[in-house]
């Protein structure tokens, strides 16, 4: 994956407020081709180009020293973790590599590794707002994920990882653009992979079987339900979600039959093709 030059994104990023994100021109000419996303958070400035795949990160500290760890101090959970994949255990790195994600993706998306608990730590965000954390256990643990939310009794509509497309020039036809498409998946890494295509917003259910996500879904013209349908229960859940969304929204809702393959296991090129084919098939 290509690295962006600091001059490509830092002049813009330094002017942003924490939590703010913008799309600017980068490797394509013209005011309508804003494919470079620049985001400012508490760690610094992050950038990703949906056209060429270039990434960049500049952590803002007084000495310019990269901030490797983040801390939090509530409950019986890890209190610090690192975003540097060189410090991760092999099993954790393998999970990221299989998903086609790199060290730049860990920093941009808030994915760390906690050596004290031997867990991958994933931020749960809803349109940029930090809702909590999901902890991915070592495969030797019979429990795969543990979720923790920052607010007690949080609404189920917010117990999802929602990456909202901010705007794009990509179009499959004269009317269908990235911000008209929402892809519903199961896990955070799949949501990140879908979002990286630049073709759709993504929403990870995080194990919720019947989420109240209509307030999010009703914003979209096309909705694709893309779950790992490797068992009967998941297949039934897909149909349930499809029927509910068709009832409560005006969107075109389709189920993509994945044959047991998660979105994160596909290449970006394949995901783009799947989204294009499913959303344009009005049958």
């Amino acid at each position: 994956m290509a690295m962006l030059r600091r001059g490509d994104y830092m002049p813009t990023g330094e002017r942003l407020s924490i939590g703010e994100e913008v799309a600017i021109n980068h490797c394509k000419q013209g005011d309508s081709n804003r494919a470079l996303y620049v985001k400012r958070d508490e760690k610094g400035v992050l950038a990703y180009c949906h056209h060429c795949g270039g990434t960049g990160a500049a952590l803002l500290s007084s000495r310019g020293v990269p901030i490797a760890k983040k801390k939090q101090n509530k409950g019986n959970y890890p209190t610090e973790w690192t975003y540097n994949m060189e410090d991760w255990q092999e099993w954790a790195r393998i999970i990221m590599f299989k998903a086609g994600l790199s060290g730049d993706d860990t920093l941009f998306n808030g994915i760390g590794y906690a050596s004290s608990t031997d867990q991958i730590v994933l931020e749960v965000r809803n349109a940029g707002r930090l809702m909590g954390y999901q902890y991915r256990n070592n495969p030797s643990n019979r429990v795969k994920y543990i979720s923790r939310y920052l607010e007690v009794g949080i609404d189920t509509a917010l117990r999802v990882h929602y990456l909202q497309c901010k705007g794009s020039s990509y179009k499959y036809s004269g009317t269908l653009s990235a911000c008209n498409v929402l892809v519903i998946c199961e896990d955070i890494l799949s949501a990140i992979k879908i979002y990286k295509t630049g073709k759709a917003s993504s929403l990870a259910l995080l194990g919720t079987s019947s989420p109240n996500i209509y307030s999010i879904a009703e914003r979209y013209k096309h909705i694709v339900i893309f779950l790992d349908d490797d068992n009967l229960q998941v297949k039934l859940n897909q149909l349930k979600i499809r029927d509910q969304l068709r009832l409560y929204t005006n969107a075109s809702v389709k189920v993509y039959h994945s044959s047991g393959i998660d979105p994160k296991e596909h290449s970006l090129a394949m995901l783009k093709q799947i989204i294009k084919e499913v959303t344009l098939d009005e049958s």
Side-chain angles (χ1 to χ4, degrees), residues 3-32:
M3 294 295 296
L4 297 172
R5 296 174 299 176
R6 288 174 63 93
D8 291 339
Y9 60 91
M10 277 303 290
T12 297
E14 289 175 333
R15 295 194 297 269
L16 298 178
S17 300
I18 292 178
E20 189 176 2
E21 180 179 341
V22 297
I24 61 176
N25 293 348
H26 177 231
C27 50
K28 297 178 71 176
Q29 299 298 317
D31 294 336
S32 62

Side-chain angles (χ1 to χ4, degrees), residues 173-207:
S173 68
T175 58
L176 180 58
S177 66
C179 288
N180 285 331
V181 182
L182 174 68
V183 179
I184 297 174
C185 57
E186 290 186 273
D187 63 276
I188 291 175
L189 296 186
S190 289
I192 292 170
K193 197 72 172 288
I194 291 165
Y195 181 76
K196 285 186 65 175
T197 66
K199 302 296 186 182
S201 298
S202 59
L203 186 150
L205 297 175
L206 308 183

Side-chain angles (χ1 to χ4, degrees), residues 42-282:
E42 63 273 11
K43 297 183 288 292
V45 177
L46 308 167
Y48 175 73
C49 181
H50 284 294
H51 176 63
C52 70
T55 61
L59 300 174
L60 302 179
S61 65
S62 58
R63 295 177 299 165
V65 178
I67 302 170
K69 297 180 178 180
K70 181 173 182 176
K71 298 184 178 182
Q72 52 107 4
N73 298 293
K74 291 185 179 180
N76 297 319
Y77 300 98
T79 57
E80 74 174 30
W81 50 88
T82 177
Y83 298 105
N84 185 355
M85 288 181 63
E86 293 181 359
D87 298 330
W88 294 23
Q89 287 294 315
E90 182 178 12
W91 72 265
R93 292 198 301 269
I94 288 174
I95 285 177
M96 295 294 291
F97 292 150
K98 283 185 175 180
L101 300 174
S102 68
D104 296 317
D105 295 302
T106 65
L107 185 62
F108 193 87
N109 294 284
I111 306 172
Y113 172 77
S115 59
S116 61
T117 56
D118 194 24
Q119 293 172 315
I120 297 174
V121 182
L122 304 117
E123 293 181 355
V124 179
R125 291 188 175 271
N126 192 310
R129 176 185 172 191
L130 180 64
M131 309 308 301
Y133 299 91
Q134 189 171 74
Y135 306 95
R136 173 55 159 98
N137 287 320
N138 186 303
S140 63
N141 192 316
R142 66 182 182 87
V143 178
K144 190 172 183 179
Y145 290 105
I146 299 173
S147 298
R148 180 179 75 86
Y149 296 93
L150 301 181
E151 300 177 18
V152 177
I154 190 171
D155 189 283
T156 55
L158 300 177
R159 294 190 180 192
V160 294
H161 188 74
Y162 173 47
L163 297 175
Q164 182 180 21
C165 173
K166 298 294 185 181
S168 173
S169 63
Y170 296 106
K171 291 186 178 181
Y172 306 128
S173 68
T175 58
L176 180 58
S177 66
C179 288
N180 285 331
V181 182
L182 174 68
V183 179
I184 297 174
C185 57
E186 290 186 273
D187 63 276
I188 291 175
L189 296 186
S190 289
I192 292 170
K193 197 72 172 288
I194 291 165
Y195 181 76
K196 285 186 65 175
T197 66
K199 302 296 186 182
S201 298
S202 59
L203 186 150
L205 297 175
L206 308 183
T208 304
S209 60
S210 183
N212 180 23
I213 58 173
Y214 311 122
S215 60
I216 295 175
E218 66 183 4
R219 308 169 192 172
Y220 294 89
K221 180 179 178 182
H222 299 268
I223 300 174
V224 181
I225 303 170
F226 193 161
L227 307 184
D228 180 1
D229 55 358
D230 54 357
N231 64 66
L232 179 59
Q233 185 57 49
V234 173
K235 292 179 180 178
L236 292 174
N237 191 36
Q238 284 187 133
L239 297 178
K240 179 180 179 181
I241 294 173
R242 181 200 65 186
D243 292 344
Q244 289 177 333
L245 290 174
R246 285 179 175 176
L247 179 63
Y248 291 104
T249 74
N250 294 319
S252 169
V253 184
K254 303 290 181 64
V255 172
Y256 177 74
H257 299 288
S258 68
S259 302
I261 302 176
D262 278 328
K264 64 177 177 284
E265 299 175 55
H266 287 287
S267 67
L268 291 178
M270 178 59 71
L271 285 175
K272 291 177 183 179
Q273 186 62 29
I274 289 171
I275 294 169
K276 177 179 179 179
E277 291 177 354
V278 175
T279 52
L280 289 183
D281 178 13
E282 295 296 339

